Amino acid sequence: MTVIKTENLVKVYNSKHLPVRAVNNVSLEIEEGEFTAIVGPSGSGKTTLLNIIGGLDKPTEGKVTIADTDITGLSDSKLIDFRLKNIGFVFQAYNLIPVLTARENVNFIMLLQGRSQREMNERAEELLTQVGLSDKMDVRPNKLSGGQQQRVAVARALASHPRFILADEPTANLDSQSAMNLLDIMWKLNQEENITLVFSTHDQRVIDRARRVVTLVDGSIAKDEVREPVVPAQ
Amino acid sequence: MKTIFKISWRNVWRNKARSLVIILAIGFGLWGGIFATAFLNGVIQQMFDSGIKSHVSHIQIHHPEYDQERLTELYVDGYDEVEQFLSESDEVVAFSSRTIASGMFNTASMVSGVEVIGIDPTQEKLTTDLKAHLVEGEYFNGEFAHPVLIGKQLADKVKVDPGSRIVLTFQNMEGDITSAAFRVAGIYRTANSGIDERNVYIMRNEMEELLGSDGIVNEMAILLNHHEQSGEFREKLQQAFPDHEIRIWSEIAPELSFMTEFSGIAMLVLVIIILFAMAFGLLNTMLMTIFERTNELGVLMSVGMNKGRVFLMIMYETCFLVITGAVLGGVLGVITVMLTGSSGIDLTSLGGEVLMEYGIDTIVFPTLDRIFYLNLSLLVLVTAVAASVYPAWKALKLNPAEAVRKE
């Protein structure tokens, strides 16, 4: 089943003075359960493409369909609601809410969805345990390492039962060990729970784990390959 | 909602130093504002009360031409019927019927022009603060035959003390000059030095004797339960006694009316200045907060926090800062007003005598109505909400995709 479909996406910045085509005629289909890495040099349009797929930015031309919804036609408020229900985000700089504990950060998404307190607590505990932070649930982000914060961010992204997770350079700020831990968790989620993952990355370790690698150059798809990922050691 | 509330409250304390600075600024600003307003209100209230209780009262009744001519023969006809009416009216606390003549105050060596006022001591004591204002000697207590009360200003001018013998001279009802010797029984001092120099009080029966006629009442001063009853009660009196001139305090002493209106405007201006300063301080703080937290706000919007909740969060943060500061300032203000309101603030060392020339008591008792605190609380809240709108709007204008990339 196709989860994400982009058709002839174009994104032009500074269109009046110095037009820059950050994304140029990108058409892409991502199936449910795929682990896709979008790679390319800096300025190739990876983040812009991810932002458009995630509904954070609007394309200049083309459309994005998530499941059966054309999100390019949604109003801002409907788009926010759509993101809340369908998309999980993991950012490069973790971006947890600093005044909330790990558990509260995970709960927050569910709270916005109007879940019950009991449901929120159960899900948060389950997710934080899954990412190996059962002993850090009531700790605020400033008391967690970068790797731990990013794992909370993953748990937060999963909290709303999204259709897919978008991760923008999730390992860029992590040390080697933390990056590998995170990748193992993400791999496991993908393999065991069939969670669709779309990463933008420079990191070869991430690329190695992906089943599909889409290479962008100057905003256009230069290569789109499906291959066997490197399986983590058990 | 609870979580947004919790996040907002915790956000306030993320930058403790900055939040404390703005909270203290709001708190001390309001404290100062409340105290300054209470002080001003106290001064005005005392000047008003002093004006009302020293001589004016809430309503005065005269012969229709008395105010222009000021002649003793222009008296209130049938004053006993008016007294009967006043005695039966619930609105009336007390009244004083006065006989008035312009005359001369003579000592062995000095002469001064005065207004001789014949009063019933019991009526006058209930109607005005004349007795309470005595600073030397006694009220009409029978110690002296033919007693007279004079003001401190006049006493100092003609150099007399209690017990001094003086002579009062004025025209009787026949138009002849009449004089009589009196003993200074007491010396009063009000907050109005003009009154203290001009008015001398003797007993009305003695004055009528000197005038050669009974039932001469030139002025009936009426004290009501509250000054706001004045207009309505005047109407009632005017209907009952259409031939008399009946005026209320704001017509008799327009300066008192001006003063109360001025104090209202002055207090409003003071409060508005403080609230404006508070609003701009808040605006600055909240804009800095939005600027610093652009990334975080972008993330919140990215993960699905709608604009209404973002707006609410910023508004809560602003309101928390204001409410914390306002509670601090309010509590300090109420305590200060209560303490100084009961003990008073002595302004003697700041030129008390000069202040008295302007009708201001040397001891000021700051005071504020409860309604002021209620209005101030509402205004503070309105200011908080108003000051939060622009920063919240700025937050809503953020593009989540750009905001999440901002370091």
Side-chain angles (χ1 to χ4, degrees), chain B residues 97-98 117-121 124 130 139-140 201-204:
Chain B
S97 302
R98 300 165 181 156
I117 303 170
I119 55 169
D120 174 329
E124 192 68 27
L130 181 62
Y139 198 58
F140 299 96
Y201 296 89
I202 61 173
M203 300 216 287
R204 205 173 93 216

Side-chain angles (χ1 to χ4, degrees), chain A residues 178-197:
Chain A
S178 300
M180 290 313 290
N181 282 344
L182 183 77
L183 286 172
D184 288 346
I185 289 166
M186 301 294 265
W187 168 267
K188 206 172 162 195
L189 287 167
N190 176 252
Q191 294 297 304
E192 292 177 4
E193 298 186 24
N194 204 33
I195 288 171
T196 310
L197 300 172

